[in-house]
Amino acid sequence: MPKKLESQQKKLVKLIKDREWRLNNLYHIRPKEGSHLIPFKMNWAQVELFENMWNRSIVLKARQLGVTTFFSILFLDDCLFNPNREAGIIADTRENAEEIFRTKVKDVWENVARDIPALRKLITDSITLESDQGKRLIFSNGSAFRVSTSMRSGTLSQLLITEYGKICAKEPEKAREIRTGSIETLPRDALLAMESTAMGNEGDFFNKCRDAELDCLSRRELTTMDYKFFFFPWYKEKGYQLKTSSPVPPDMESYFKKHTEASGIKFTQEQKAWYCKKSSELGDDVKREYPTTAREAFEQSIEGAYLARHIQSAYVDGRVDSMPYIRNLPVHTSWDLGINDTTSIWFFQIHLDCIRFIDYYENADEGLTHYVNVLKYRDYIYGKHLAPHDIEVRDFTIGKTRKEFAREQGLIFETVPRPSDVMDKIESVRTLFPQFYFDENKCSRGLSCLKNYRKEWDDKNGCYKNRPLHNWASHGFDALSTCALGFEAGFLETRELQHEAVVEYDVFE
């Protein structure tokens, strides 16, 4: 072998041992726009992930920052240059799994080192593809890479879960399967990453992000089983700018000013213009898809939520705050009753034209006596108690209706008429919602229910069904709908003025 060629080969062998060099020089990807492959170079977000790699990572991000692309190439690189590795990606849908496999795994493998012929030959001479079936590549060195919507079998050395926030929100059973099946099979030294945009402030993705962010803020030393938190906001991406002579609307200027004062973030005019454009296109969803802060991302209502705009308006208008108990006004309650399920109670007062929810309680597998005691132990003077139609149902274990049994306990219920359709119940709540005020702390669980009360997802057809999903959030909403339907039926009414003397109500006779 000529000395010059031998020297070149030694140089290539030396370079190929450097993983960072390989990631920035061996691979090609499809850009956001266009079909031609371009060389992959790590962007700022990908560099941050690479330089701060941890056994378990959770990534909350703005859209289109290349997080899935980074892990796809990282995993493929590990499979090519290490024997007997098993890498996997779990996608939220079958279509996305197929897209990731085709564009971010298979295409990348087929074009490895395409711009460096000598290096390409060196790689393909030492490793070949033995099998390509069912979104899985198996290499001659015993390594394999697969993409699917679930993974319960096999021992993975690397696993990425994409759009985990969406999976938790739309398919909680699938999220549970991932937690108990896929994640639990990983060995202690496996590399696990989860990435997603935010989807509401409930579920496993939210919980993991919250806990990981708290660990980050407290600078707690992480174990190999703890998640490292990564947050990638939109304004760090250089491409998210727009040149225009149009002025920034006053409300958006206030938005940018608030974040500058709170966090020291400095926005350019081009960044402001870009964000304003996205805001006009996406509406309330812009904060979820392109968050400025992690907290902002999770404050947004989840997709398909019935009360998304109404809750957003309540926060903007300052109707979610501290709501102290006004002692010279009665406290009314509205219920959703569960037998072998959750019972939920909203506590509210009427002040002028405002309906002030000052407290919330829920529990499960308890008899009616338990809830009577809950009311008794709260330091409230009570007014009316509104219950849904099933309060009239006879309980064969006690031989009487629950309404009759409650009266014996000293609790007198008004039975709210049953709506003819579930959408009538939802519209009743929506109509009255502008008059609702909530105590942010005492009603936090109830507010979570309202934020997460949403349409049922049809996985087969890839769309929402025209009916609510019955889950943990349903009970808090149904109890609130009892309140709205009670006003609609005339059991209670708001008043322009309340100068008259207040009658002291007592729940107990």
Side-chain angles (χ1 to χ4, degrees):
M1 179 182 295
K3 286 187 177 181
K4 185 177 181 180
L5 187 59
E6 184 179 355
S7 175
Q8 182 184 22
Q9 192 167 27
K10 285 183 179 179
K11 183 179 179 181
L12 289 175
V13 171
K14 183 179 179 180
L15 287 172
I16 210 171
K17 289 181 179 179
D18 183 340
R19 183 167 66 161
E20 184 175 359
W21 184 89
R22 295 197 307 264
L23 293 177
N24 282 309
N25 292 276
L26 292 189
Y27 305 108
H28 288 71
I29 60 171
R30 295 191 184 278
K32 298 176 187 177
E33 298 176 359
S35 57
H36 297 293
L37 293 171
I38 60 172
F40 172 74
K41 299 283 185 184
M42 286 191 284
N43 64 22
W44 63 273
Q46 294 160 345
V47 168
E48 187 171 331
L49 286 168
F50 180 78
E51 292 181 347
N52 296 280
M53 194 69 60
W54 193 250
N55 290 67
R56 297 192 171 196
S57 301
I58 191 156
V59 185
L60 174 64
K61 62 183 182 63
R63 289 178 57 83
Q64 300 295 321
L65 295 182
V67 174
T68 301
T69 298
F70 167 76
F71 281 108
S72 299
I73 293 176
L74 183 77
F75 290 0
L76 179 64
D77 180 83
D78 195 53
C79 287
L80 296 180
F81 292 95
N82 295 281
N84 304 314
R85 297 299 181 110
E86 181 83 20
I89 296 178
I90 296 177
D92 57 328
T93 65
R94 184 179 63 185
E95 292 75 14
N96 286 342
E98 292 172 350
E99 175 77 6
I100 291 169
F101 178 75
R102 180 176 59 84
T103 63
K104 302 182 189 301
V105 180
K106 189 175 180 180
D107 278 358
V108 175
W109 154 248
E110 291 177 347
N111 292 276
V112 63
R114 60 182 288 179
D115 294 338
I116 315 173
L119 193 51
R120 178 174 175 80
K121 185 176 187 306
L122 189 66
I123 295 170
T124 55
D125 282 350
S126 60
I127 185 169
T128 58
L129 181 64
E130 290 195 342
S131 176
D132 172 12
Q133 292 182 346
K135 298 190 290 297
R136 188 184 189 200
L137 301 181
I138 301 176
F139 300 101
S140 58
N141 67 348
S143 292
F145 195 160
R146 55 184 168 140
V147 184
S148 184
T149 55
S150 65
M151 290 185 192
R152 291 188 67 91
S153 60
T155 303
L156 298 171
S157 51
Q158 297 114 334
L159 174 63
L160 169 68
I161 305 168
T162 70
E163 295 299 351
Y164 188 50
K166 288 186 178 180
I167 294 172
C168 292
K170 293 181 179 179
E171 301 175 84
E173 282 303 312
K174 180 178 175 181
R176 183 174 179 274
E177 179 186 331
I178 290 172
R179 290 196 305 275
T180 59
S182 305
I183 295 176
E184 286 302 310
T185 62
L186 295 174
R188 183 69 64 88
D189 60 348
L191 178 62
L192 169 63
M194 299 176 176
E195 65 86 16
S196 185
T197 50
M199 285 289 287
N201 56 4
E202 293 287 338
D204 192 50
F205 181 70
F206 167 75
N207 292 334
K208 282 184 167 61
C209 280
R210 178 196 58 197
D211 294 344
E213 185 182 19
L214 289 174
D215 287 342
C216 177
L217 294 172
S218 64
R219 300 175 183 251
R220 187 175 75 84
E221 185 177 350
L222 302 181
T223 70
T224 55
M225 295 186 69
D226 292 319
Y227 287 86
K228 177 173 278 192
F229 182 67
F230 294 88
F231 173 60
F232 299 140
W234 68 272
Y235 61 85
K236 286 190 176 182
E237 173 56 38
K238 292 181 179 179
Y240 292 164
Q241 301 187 52
L242 179 65
K243 290 186 178 180
T244 178
S245 57
S246 300
V248 176
D251 61 324
M252 295 306 297
E253 279 289 9
S254 298
Y255 171 82
F256 295 124
K257 182 180 179 182
K258 179 188 74 172
H259 282 294
T260 298
E261 292 175 348
S263 308
I265 305 168
K266 295 181 179 179
F267 303 95
T268 66
Q269 287 302 117
E270 289 78 10
Q271 286 177 318
K272 291 179 180 180
W274 181 90
Y275 188 84
C276 288
K277 184 67 175 176
K278 281 295 176 184
S279 180
S280 66
E281 292 173 351
L282 298 174
D284 294 340
D285 290 336
V286 70
K287 293 180 181 178
R288 183 185 69 199
E289 302 294 335
Y290 298 97
T292 302
T293 65
R295 180 179 179 181
E296 175 185 87
F298 285 116
E299 282 177 351
Q300 288 308 105
S301 300
I302 62 174
E303 189 175 350
Y306 283 105
L307 299 176
R309 287 180 289 115
H310 300 77
I311 290 175
Q312 180 73 11
S313 296
Y315 276 94
V316 171
D317 296 343
R319 290 186 283 117
V320 180
D321 204 338
S322 175
M323 295 291 144
Y325 168 42
I326 302 174
R327 287 197 164 272
N328 65 337
L329 293 178
V331 174
H332 310 286
T333 66
S334 62
W335 298 56
D336 177 58
L337 295 162
I339 301 176
N340 298 314
D341 209 341
T342 301
T343 290
S344 302
I345 310 169
W346 287 97
F347 299 77
F348 62 97
Q349 295 183 290
I350 304 169
H351 182 247
L352 302 179
D353 63 344
C354 303
I355 302 164
R356 305 169 69 257
F357 293 94
I358 61 170
D359 207 344
Y360 176 83
Y361 181 80
E362 70 174 43
N363 208 331
D365 302 321
E366 296 285 355
L368 192 57
T369 302
H370 168 81
Y371 300 102
V372 172
N373 288 331
V374 167
L375 268 64
K376 182 186 296 185
Y377 294 143
R378 276 165 162 74
D379 186 26
Y380 298 147
I381 296 173
Y382 289 100
K384 292 190 176 181
H385 304 282
L386 308 179
H389 65 95
D390 51 3
I391 192 76
E392 305 278 2
V393 174
R394 182 170 294 277
D395 188 333
F396 292 103
T397 61
I398 57 176
K400 59 190 73 174
T401 68
R402 283 181 283 177
K403 186 174 184 179
E404 291 168 340
F405 181 74
R407 181 180 285 274
E408 292 176 359
Q409 301 281 316
L411 186 61
I412 301 172
F413 277 113
E414 304 283 356
T415 306
V416 173
R418 182 179 185 176
S420 58
D421 183 77
V422 67
M423 288 308 299
D424 293 338
K425 178 170 67 174
I426 293 169
E427 284 306 313
S428 180
V429 171
R430 284 173 167 171
T431 300
L432 207 58
F433 212 90
Q435 295 173 257
F436 288 170
Y437 289 71
F438 299 91
D439 187 281
E440 190 169 17
N441 293 320
K442 288 187 175 181
C443 298
S444 59
R445 175 63 177 180
L447 284 167
S448 292
C449 293
L450 304 185
K451 293 171 185 176
N452 286 274
Y453 184 68
R454 65 185 188 273
K455 298 176 182 177
E456 184 178 346
W457 178 256
D458 185 342
D459 189 50
K460 181 179 179 181
N461 296 308
C463 62
Y464 285 103
K465 297 178 182 179
N466 192 29
R467 64 170 183 253
L469 171 68
H470 183 74
N471 64 358
W472 62 270
S474 306
H475 311 291
F477 175 85
D478 287 342
L480 189 75
S481 72
T482 302
C483 169
L485 292 167
F487 276 92
E488 196 173 275
F491 289 115
L492 292 167
E493 61 180 19
T494 57
R495 306 168 186 173
E496 292 185 5
L497 292 173
Q498 292 185 340
H499 291 310
E500 64 269 28
V502 175
V503 178
E504 289 198 358
Y505 294 81
D506 199 341
V507 61
F508 303 104
E509 297 179 333

